Amino acid sequence: MTYKLKKICFDEISSTNEYAKELARNTKENILIVANKQTAGRGRLGRTFYSPFGGIYMSVLFHPDRAVEKATDITVMASVAMVRTISSVLGIETQIKWVNDIYLNGKKVCGILTEGIFNSDNNSFDSVVLGVGLNLFTNDFPEDIKDIATSLSDKEKKGVKEALIDKFTQEFFDIFENKKEYFFEYKSRSLILGKTVEYLKDNTLHTANAVDISESGELIVIENGKKILLNSGEIKISASSLFR
Ligand code: BTN
């Protein structure tokens, strides 16, 4: 791994992604920020990410040595890295819900939020903040998410947290640098492909069949016989539609 990471740990922080973005203004170091708890954890589309003690909340701040034009590429690589990590450290097999969620037994166990400092001169990211929230030993979920969220384990085991963090960063940079086989793995772990999905676009609810994911990360659906490419930023897929 050519990306050497300096590690900064917090017992409690508002958001490791926010902290990483602050650091990115003044440093070219690659830094891993880990917190035991977040008080203002953030998810995609302005959502909050429930972040009590027991989970892993981390952000990897790095400065790519080759052009990264789309945050989605990083999210896709990180999803595969996390699935591999959970399998290797805990022997648990998980699935990926396009585009950035990891699921276990039909419930969300991990979310990924990639942000960055974009340089419009060269149309790519100068710095990337890869944020990962993993429900590891998280037990009591609040009422509004208890039916859709789950945890990898119900009791704490020594050394597991560190093993997951180390393995994840290693797997992620291995994929980022070598780009081997990860896209096929992303699709084969998909929770969505082959399913009927509902998505909200321009305030209209659509129903379609998810048939493929493009190399650039769009979900390809067939709706009324027509092929449509969906961009993750524009649509919202209803989780309940995935299990029909
Ligand atoms: C999502 O589910 O939409 C993405 C969740 C990402 C959560 C992680 S936890 C560490 C980092 N800090 C944040 O505030 N968010 C990310």
Side-chain angles (χ1 to χ4, degrees):
M1 181 164 107
T2 53
Y3 285 85
K4 281 244 165 305
L5 293 176
K6 170 177 157 185
K7 192 171 175 186
I8 304 180
C9 297
F10 290 93
D11 202 35
E12 185 177 311
I13 195 170
S14 56
S15 155
T16 56
N17 264 35
E18 287 309 314
Y19 186 77
K21 285 195 289 180
E22 279 298 316
L23 289 182
R25 294 171 190 264
N26 296 311
T27 185
K28 282 287 164 218
E29 275 188 298
N30 301 309
I31 305 177
L32 169 68
I33 300 122
V34 182
N36 290 332
K37 177 184 176 181
Q38 294 183 124
T39 52
R42 290 193 303 104
R44 281 177 65 242
L45 310 172
R47 296 186 192 119
T48 57
F49 188 81
Y50 180 59
S51 313
F53 283 111
I56 293 177
Y57 314 105
M58 61 179 161
S59 298
V60 185
L61 165 65
F62 67 105
H63 313 278
D65 52 15
R66 60 177 176 76
V68 172
E69 285 158 22
K70 286 196 290 78
T72 313
D73 291 347
I74 299 294
T75 301
V76 166
M77 292 178 203
S79 303
V80 174
M82 185 48 86
V83 163
R84 285 186 191 169
T85 296
I86 295 169
S87 174
S88 148
V89 176
L90 295 169
I92 297 172
E93 300 310 321
T94 51
Q95 288 181 292
I96 300 168
K97 182 184 162 216
W98 179 82
V99 60
N100 67 321
D101 292 337
I102 311 293
Y103 268 56
L104 172 65
N105 300 328
K107 291 183 175 184
K108 178 164 166 172
V109 75
C110 172
I112 295 168
L113 177 65
T114 307
E115 301 181 281
I117 315 290
F118 199 74
N119 182 340
S120 50
D121 290 341
N122 58 12
N123 211 29
S124 72
F125 286 96
D126 284 342
S127 304
V128 171
V129 174
L130 165 60
V132 179
L134 179 67
N135 303 329
L136 180 55
F137 315 119
T138 318
N139 284 315
D140 299 317
F141 289 100
E143 199 59 34
D144 56 331
I145 57 167
K146 76 176 183 11
D147 294 334
I148 51 169
T150 191
S151 182
L152 287 173
S153 172
D154 53 6
K155 44 184 177 307
E156 189 149 359
K157 287 186 204 86
K158 215 170 165 243
V160 168
K161 207 166 179 173
E162 294 69 24
L164 286 165
I165 294 169
D166 287 351
K167 183 75 178 159
F168 172 76
T169 50
Q170 192 189 316
E171 286 288 350
F172 171 73
F173 282 111
D174 184 45
I175 295 172
F176 183 71
E177 292 188 311
N178 302 315
K179 291 186 122 193
K180 266 197 292 187
E181 306 280 321
Y182 77 93
F183 199 69
F184 173 78
E185 209 171 327
Y186 183 78
K187 291 208 282 190
S188 68
R189 289 281 188 164
S190 173
L191 187 69
I192 287 197
L193 292 183
K195 302 248 168 62
T196 301
V197 295
E198 281 170 355
Y199 69 94
L200 196 61
K201 190 171 187 179
D202 303 331
N203 284 328
T204 310
L205 189 67
H206 299 252
T207 304
N209 292 324
V211 293
D212 205 356
I213 296 167
S214 74
E215 288 277 344
S216 38
E218 293 119 338
L219 183 67
I220 303 174
V221 298
I222 304 283
E223 187 173 348
N224 301 326
K226 231 174 82 189
K227 185 169 146 179
I228 298 168
L229 268 65
L230 301 176
N231 184 299
S232 65
E234 294 166 15
I235 70 144
K236 179 173 172 259
I237 290 196
S238 98
S240 61
S241 70
L242 296 175
F243 303 101
R244 289 198 193 133

